[in-house]
Amino acid sequence: MRKRLVLAGGGHAHLFTLSRLGVFGDAGIAVACVAPGPFLAYSGMGPGMLSGRYAPEDLRFDIAAMLDAGNRQARSASRFPSDRANGARRHVFVQGRVAGIDPEGKRLLLEDGRELAYDAVSFGLGSVVDAPFPVEGEGVYTVKPIENLLAARRAIESRVGSGEAVRVVVAGGGASAFEVAGNALGLLAGLGVAKPLVTVVAGRGLLPGWPVRAKRLAQASLARRGGRVLCNRVERFDGDRVMLVGGGTLPCDVLLVATGTRPPGIFTRSGLALAPDGGLSVNAFLQSVLYPDIFGGGDCIRFAPTPLPRAGVYAVRQGPVLCANLLARLAGRELTPFRKTDTNFLALLNCGDGRAILRKAPLILEGRWCMALKDWIDRRFIGSFAPARPPRGSGRPA
C-alpha cells in the first residue's frame, strides 16, 4: 500500500520536493499538494508586478503542472502496463485552504469540510501581514498574498484613467515597504502622473537594521521621484484618510500595508506552536518537536535551534533538506539536519525606476546593472522549477 505525503501549501520550501516527485513515486509514495490555487507567486518579483515591469505569468510557479509532470514521469517509468495504459495518477493537486490539523488522527481539515489523511505532512504556508490596525475595506491592500499587488495596480490604473487623484500611503518601513513604495512611484510615472503622491509611514524610519549607506540611497531614490518618508505609524484607515498614531491625518486613496509578517494562526489553534510568533515549532530536521510525522519550512515555521529571519532565501535553502527528510521519514531512514548558513546573503531591492540597491556586506551599491542582475537571478530561479512540457497532442489528466 502506498504511503501518502501531503504538502500543505505550495510555498518556496516545497518547490524542491515538487520538482522531484519521481523519487517519491519510485519509493511508493503518493504526494498531494493542497493550496488555494494552482500557482505560487514568487514574492521577490511581486513589487515589479505592481509597477508593470512583470506580468502575473512572469512570476508564477505552476504547482499543478509540476504534479502533472510527476505523474507523466511515473507512468512512463512504471513496470506495470496498467499504469501506463490507464494514466494512473499518484500525485494530485487539491484546491483548498487548510483550516485545522488533527495530529493524532493524522489528517488535515480543509475550510470546505473535506479531510486529507497523511502518513507525513509538510507545511509551506508562508506568512501573513501582521498589521496593527484593521486591513479590510476598499482601497486597502496588504503585500501578502502577492496577488494583492496586482489588484492595487489595477485600482491605481483605474483612478488615473478616470482622472481621479491617486494618493498612495505605504504603511511600514522595511525592505518590502520600500520596494512597494518605489514601484508605486514607477507605476504612476509610467501612467504619466506628473506629481505622484506616495508617502511611506515608517515608525522606525526607512530600512531599519540596514547599513546607513543603503538607507540614504533608498531615501534618495524615493525623494527624487516625489516620494516622502514620515516617521510615524498608521492607526487606522478611514475611507479617504489615514489616521496617524498621536494625531494627524494623511489623505489616502490607496493604502499598501507592509508592516511585517507572522505565521498563519493555524498552528496556534492546533497546539503546534510553542512560541509567541505562532509558527510551527520544528527541530534541526525541520520536523515538529511534538509530532515526528509533521514537517515544515519557510516563513511559517519557528526553527527551534536558532532564530531565523523571515526571508525567502531560507525557505529555498531548506527545500533540499526538507525533501530529503520527508522521503527518509516515510522510508524509515535517518534524517539530515538543516544547518544555518551564512546570514550575509546577497540582497537586491527593486527601486521601481529600473535601478536596484545591492547589499552584500560590506558592499552597498545602486544602479541599473544591479536591477539587471536581480532580474536575471529571479527569472533564472523561476525557470529552474518550470515543469517539463507534455508531448505535443497530450493534455493534463482530467
Side-chain angles (χ1 to χ4, degrees):
M1 184 175 179
R2 287 179 180 144
K3 292 188 175 181
R4 188 167 201 196
L5 166 65
V6 175
L7 303 177
H12 297 69
H14 284 161
L15 289 172
F16 196 87
T17 298
L18 287 166
S19 68
R20 284 156 178 80
L21 293 175
V23 178
F24 288 85
D26 290 345
I29 300 166
V31 179
C33 180
V34 56
F39 301 105
L40 166 69
Y42 175 42
S43 57
M45 296 169 74
M49 181 172 63
L50 173 63
S51 64
R53 181 184 184 96
Y54 302 119
E57 56 269 22
D58 292 332
L59 50 105
R60 285 175 174 171
F61 298 99
D62 193 333
I63 302 168
M66 294 171 84
L67 289 155
D68 286 348
N71 283 319
R72 291 194 301 272
Q73 183 180 358
R75 288 195 298 273
S76 63
S78 177
R79 294 172 296 172
F80 303 102
S82 59
D83 275 1
R84 296 193 295 271
N86 299 329
R89 299 181 68 195
R90 297 181 185 180
H91 312 306
V92 295
F93 171 71
V94 179
Q95 187 159 350
R97 296 180 186 273
V98 179
I101 309 160
D102 175 9
E104 299 290 348
K106 291 189 176 183
R107 62 194 180 118
L108 298 183
L109 313 175
L110 305 190
E111 284 184 349
D112 61 7
R114 288 177 294 168
E115 298 181 359
L116 285 178
Y118 63 81
D119 294 292
V121 62
S122 178
F123 289 91
L125 299 173
S127 56
V128 297
V129 171
D130 188 13
F133 54 86
V135 293
E136 296 81 15
E138 186 177 353
V140 184
Y141 304 90
T142 57
V143 297
K144 288 195 173 187
I146 299 301
E147 290 80 2
N148 284 357
L149 295 177
L150 179 61
R153 175 178 130 194
R154 288 172 174 163
I156 291 171
E157 289 172 338
S158 176
R159 291 188 69 90
V160 172
S162 61
E164 297 179 81
V166 187
R167 299 160 298 185
V168 178
V169 174
V170 179
S176 178
F178 166 70
E179 286 196 295
V180 165
N183 280 272
L185 285 165
L187 172 61
L188 291 168
L191 294 172
V193 177
K195 294 182 178 180
L197 298 173
V198 176
T199 303
V200 179
V201 181
R204 294 190 295 151
L206 200 59
L207 299 184
W210 281 61
V212 172
R213 174 170 164 77
K215 294 180 182 182
R216 288 174 179 167
L217 288 172
Q219 182 90 31
S221 173
L222 299 180
R224 67 172 169 257
R225 293 176 284 157
R228 62 173 180 154
V229 178
L230 183 63
C231 288
N232 205 321
R233 287 185 172 86
V234 173
E235 186 172 80
R236 68 181 188 275
F237 180 56
D238 194 13
D240 61 352
R241 303 191 74 80
V242 162
M243 317 304 288
L244 302 176
V245 172
T249 66
L250 286 174
C252 178
D253 304 299
V254 174
L255 175 61
L256 299 165
V257 185
T259 48
T261 60
R262 59 174 172 79
I266 183 173
F267 305 114
T268 299
R269 295 194 299 270
S270 303
L272 296 172
L274 301 180
D277 70 356
L280 172 67
S281 302
V282 300
N283 59 21
F285 306 110
L286 304 176
Q287 177 186 43
S288 168
V289 298
L290 298 175
Y291 295 93
D293 293 315
I294 296 177
F295 293 77
D299 282 0
C300 72
I301 68 167
R302 177 185 178 269
F303 191 63
T306 181
L308 292 175
R310 288 199 183 96
V313 65
Y314 288 110
V316 175
R317 290 176 179 178
Q318 288 163 357
V321 175
L322 187 58
C323 177
N325 285 346
L326 291 170
L327 188 60
R329 176 66 185 174
L330 292 168
R333 299 199 300 265
E334 186 177 349
L335 304 184
T336 302
F338 172 73
R339 305 191 188 282
K340 182 180 177 181
T341 51
D342 181 18
T343 57
N344 183 26
F345 51 83
L346 176 68
L348 287 155
L349 301 182
N350 178 356
C351 298
D353 61 351
R355 298 177 177 86
I357 296 172
L358 178 152
R359 183 190 71 181
K360 178 70 173 174
L363 195 63
I364 304 292
L365 299 170
E366 181 195 39
R368 294 188 179 278
W369 72 268
C370 295
M371 187 61 213
L373 175 62
K374 175 174 171 54
D375 182 76
W376 179 79
I377 291 173
D378 288 343
R379 290 183 184 275
R380 186 168 178 246
F381 178 61
I382 291 279
S384 68
F385 291 103
R389 296 192 178 195
R392 181 175 295 180
S394 66
R396 283 186 182 173

